[in-house]
Amino acid sequence: MLLLLLPLALAPLFLRPPGAGGAQTPNATSEGCQIIHPPWEGGIRYRGLTRDQVKAINFLPVDYEIEYVCRGEREVVGPKVRKCLANGSWTDMDTPSRCVNRTPHSERRAVYIGALFPMSGGWPGGQACQPAVEMALEDVNSRRDILPDYELKLIHHDSKCDPGQATKYLYELLYNDPIKIILMPGCSSVSTLVAEAARMWNLIVLSYGSSSPALSNRQRFPTFFRTHPSATLHNPTRVKLFEKWGWRKIATIQQTTEVFTSTLDDLEERVKEAGIEITFRQSFFSDPAVPVKNLKRQDARIIVGLFYETEARKVFCEVYKERLFGKKYVWFLIGWYADNWFKTYDPSINCTVDEMTEAVEGHITTEIVMLNPANTRSISNMTSQEFVEKLTKRLKRHPEETGGFQEAPLAYDAIWALALALNKTSGGSGRSGVRLEDFNYNNQTITDQIYRAMNSSSFEGVSGHVVFDASGSRMAWTLIEQLQGGSYKKIGYYDSTKDDLSWSKTDKWIGGAPPADQTLVIKTFRFMSQKLFISVSVLSSLGIVLAVVCLSFNIYNSHVRYIQNSQPNLNNLTAVGCSLALAAVFPLGLDGYHIGRSQFPFVCQARLWLLGLGFSLGYGSMFTKIWWVHTVFTKKEEKKEWRKTLEPWKLYTTVGLLVGMDVLTLAIWQMVDPLHRTIETFAKEEPKEDIDVSILPQLEHCSSKKMNTWLGIFYGYKGLLLLLGIFLAYETKSVSTEKINDHRAVGMAIYNVAVLCLITAPVTMILSSQQDAAFAFAALAIVFSSYITLVVLFVPKMRRLITRGEWQSEAQDTMKTGSSTNNNEEEKSRLLEKENRELEKIIAEKEERVSELRHQLRSRQQLRPRRHPPTPPDPSGGLPRGPHEPPDRLSCDGSRVHLLYK
């Protein structure tokens, strides 16, 4: 119910500023606001209250609105609507409301505004902003409390958002009559040009659609104001969203214009302060194909795009081609595009509407709150919703197809900000002012007064509370929207001045949740095959058991002469060395699957020491044997006496030197540059499932800072021993000695160990990145070389003792034979027997020849008988012989040979 309450008294109880005559500002109370008196010749409209209810109350609740009305041909000058604030006061109480007689329009003087509206181009905001400005001019000119003696008129041109085109029209505005008291450009590139030139003509510039941060430079643009907040106001909102969704890596792509470059520079500073990294920064002038491909190649996921609407269509056509959209990607765009910008026909792209719609789905926009969400009445006595409805009727096309529809409230409020500033300058509020019609391009005094009035602006517009900061930029909230199902949905607001994020929880994601800012890299360690490890461990365990059996056998039968002649103590060291080498297989197969990070250095040292000492003992004892045999049996004839004696301590000393060298080397290595756990990282692997993750395989190694140097020393020294061992084994393959009766078996073992080691060492270095192959080669080489060594050295001894029963010791053998045969004498005896056999063969041939000669001689004697003198007897007492009779027999007695004649 609406009720017009007439004045309670005829006294001039007009509302005036504090300190002025008349009624004072009502006292603020916690109950609400006191009822105030209406102006002279006017009344107050109370919404929802009857006359009796108004008489019965003294206070009205917070947020309650009253409206002034006037009688007859009078009209309200000053605020028509006042609202009860939470502090108990009414809005705009410093400005009185009066009822005055209407002034005919024909008596008002014209004040001209020069405007540039971009009806096409990168941002066609003039399509909606021009009707909004015209609507604001009608509303302002209809008010008798604002510029009652003046009428605002508009002269405008289409700048096409092109600085070149704008230059032409700016020249026409400045050099053609009438004089313009203010300039109103649109997009940032045009505003930059106009604002930089306006200072030379003492003109105030008020922009309704410029967001370039560069325009906040007061030294460069001293007379510039804008109802559109700076684009940098988007950046705190973007940073807040990055932090909300846990994104730490972002990428950017921008059109190379000053507005976007300066915005991006500001964003880079803000994200750096927040600990967020801009990993990739791409830019383009007209063709975004290459930058979009670069973003795809660099795996950009969270992408901030800064470009005009026409370029946005080009970008997202390339985005569709590169498949840079979907559940893995989030695009942040500017919110002042038309709602259906991606559906607008554009001959410069070759993508369909469906393709464009698919590419842009789910992107986030941040835009300044350009329409008051509270829907309260503004200074024009319109709510934001009423403004939208009134503007929509003026438009020739649907709002979604009209450029600048979202910025239209800013253009509407820009006219009101200008009107209020001119009203203050001209003295329209009751103070003595200047004559606006006296303004010209050389009158800096009026310009300064307009500047001060504009700088102090503060009112409620259809876009919200209008106030300018020190740089002339509008302060406002930020609206956050998301494209869901082809239409934009509000998902939140952000007040950067209070760091207050109001979230509606209506955001939707293609993948069900916000994507990661990069491909989620899952680090996985490559562990050894447990089947392989267990199998080789079993073989190694059996080998250790075999080594223990061989060692026990050798110790138990150490009194046997055959065992004694094989240097059993060296064989015992070989068995111990094989056991240590086989034990090294266990730590060689341990990795992060079995042990923790802190235990890894101990496992590394265990590998090194067990394998090093096992090699020194096992191979070193065999090398010592073969070295002694080669040294003794390749001496010159005059040094043959060395063969008669073998001093065991020399053999043990040689083994000790080899082991000591290894211990010293390993100790220095461990103290100077100890082994520790290192990680080898491989190329990322994509899983078979369609998930936004990559597998980063890693492999643990035992290494040190100068690993190659130490391996060079170690492998070089061991390699020389192996090669020397092969040479000595080859040189002594035909030597036979009873002092070391198994040196041929030792040589065979050396061949096998050397070949396996020389092959395995480089192969394992090459296959170090393949844990199973490297372990298999190294472990099986250790197992096979140990098995071969033990079998070749000990099994023949076991077989001989078992099959021949040679269990007697050297003392027992001496009791049976009466003496111990000297090894050298046995060798001489064998040589003499060989010589006797050769001589017997020669004698047998001679005897056969003699028999033939005798037979021939007897035949001649029978044919011609002759008498011969008797032959004197042989002095030696044997039978008489002729001068040509051959020996009859050869007998061997020890080392002497006797020839007997018949």
Side-chain angles (χ1 to χ4, degrees), residues 538-596:
V538 170
L539 290 176
S540 180
S541 301
L542 295 176
I544 293 175
V545 172
L546 176 61
V548 172
V549 171
C550 293
L551 180 62
S552 302
F553 166 81
N554 218 43
I555 294 174
Y556 181 78
N557 296 293
S558 60
H559 63 281
V560 177
R561 173 186 170 191
Y562 181 72
I563 300 298
Q564 289 177 344
N565 288 341
S566 65
Q567 295 300 319
N569 291 332
L570 293 181
N571 290 339
N572 293 342
L573 293 178
T574 301
V576 172
C578 290
S579 299
L580 293 178
L582 290 168
V585 171
F586 300 106
L588 197 64
L590 294 178
D591 52 22
Y593 184 83
H594 308 91
I595 59 176

Side-chain angles (χ1 to χ4, degrees), residues 791-836:
V791 170
V792 168
L793 288 184
F794 292 97
V795 171
K797 295 180 178 61
M798 295 178 183
R799 181 173 176 275
R800 175 161 178 166
L801 266 63
I802 292 173
T803 57
R804 297 189 182 185
E806 298 181 3
W807 302 100
Q808 68 273 18
S809 64
E810 187 175 0
Q812 293 172 339
D813 188 54
T814 301
M815 291 177 64
K816 290 181 181 180
T817 58
S819 63
S820 177
T821 305
N822 185 275
N823 290 336
N824 291 334
E825 293 297 330
E826 290 179 357
E827 187 71 20
K828 292 179 180 179
S829 176
R830 284 197 295 271
L831 292 174
L832 289 175
E833 289 178 357
K834 182 178 179 181
E835 291 177 1
N836 284 341

Side-chain angles (χ1 to χ4, degrees), residues 442-607:
N442 296 318
N443 194 333
Q444 188 174 357
T445 302
I446 297 179
T447 301
D448 291 342
Q449 291 193 32
I450 298 174
Y451 176 89
R452 287 192 293 269
M454 186 74 72
N455 204 35
S456 61
S457 297
S458 178
F459 64 92
E460 292 295 329
V462 294
S463 63
H465 188 68
V466 179
V467 64
F468 300 105
D469 62 15
S471 64
S473 297
R474 169 83 178 275
M475 303 294 293
W477 280 34
T478 308
L479 170 65
I480 307 164
E481 292 183 319
Q482 185 181 37
L483 188 69
Q484 300 176 3
S487 61
Y488 286 100
K489 304 295 182 182
K490 296 177 182 178
I491 59 176
Y493 292 92
Y494 181 65
D495 183 1
S496 60
T497 59
K498 299 179 181 179
D499 191 24
D500 180 25
L501 178 64
S502 302
W503 200 248
S504 61
K505 297 182 180 179
T506 56
D507 51 316
K508 294 182 180 179
W509 303 97
I510 299 176
D517 57 359
Q518 59 182 338
T519 301
L520 180 60
V521 179
I522 301 177
K523 297 180 179 179
T524 58
F525 284 97
R526 289 180 174 177
F527 295 126
M528 191 176 304
S529 169
Q530 296 306 299
K531 294 181 180 179
L532 175 63
F533 176 63
I534 293 173
S535 301
V536 177
S537 297
V538 170
L539 290 176
S540 180
S541 301
L542 295 176
I544 293 175
V545 172
L546 176 61
V548 172
V549 171
C550 293
L551 180 62
S552 302
F553 166 81
N554 218 43
I555 294 174
Y556 181 78
N557 296 293
S558 60
H559 63 281
V560 177
R561 173 186 170 191
Y562 181 72
I563 300 298
Q564 289 177 344
N565 288 341
S566 65
Q567 295 300 319
N569 291 332
L570 293 181
N571 290 339
N572 293 342
L573 293 178
T574 301
V576 172
C578 290
S579 299
L580 293 178
L582 290 168
V585 171
F586 300 106
L588 197 64
L590 294 178
D591 52 22
Y593 184 83
H594 308 91
I595 59 176
R597 182 180 301 180
S598 59
Q599 300 170 321
F600 217 87
F602 300 102
V603 173
C604 293
Q605 298 296 340
R607 295 178 185 178

Side-chain angles (χ1 to χ4, degrees), residues 35 58 143 253 303 323 348 431 490 536 557 749 785-786 817 840 886 895:
I35 292 180
N58 294 322
R143 292 278 294 264
I253 178 172
I303 308 168
R323 312 302 295 177
S348 63
R431 298 189 299 267
K490 296 177 182 178
V536 177
N557 296 293
S785 60
S786 299
T817 58
E840 286 178 352
S895 61

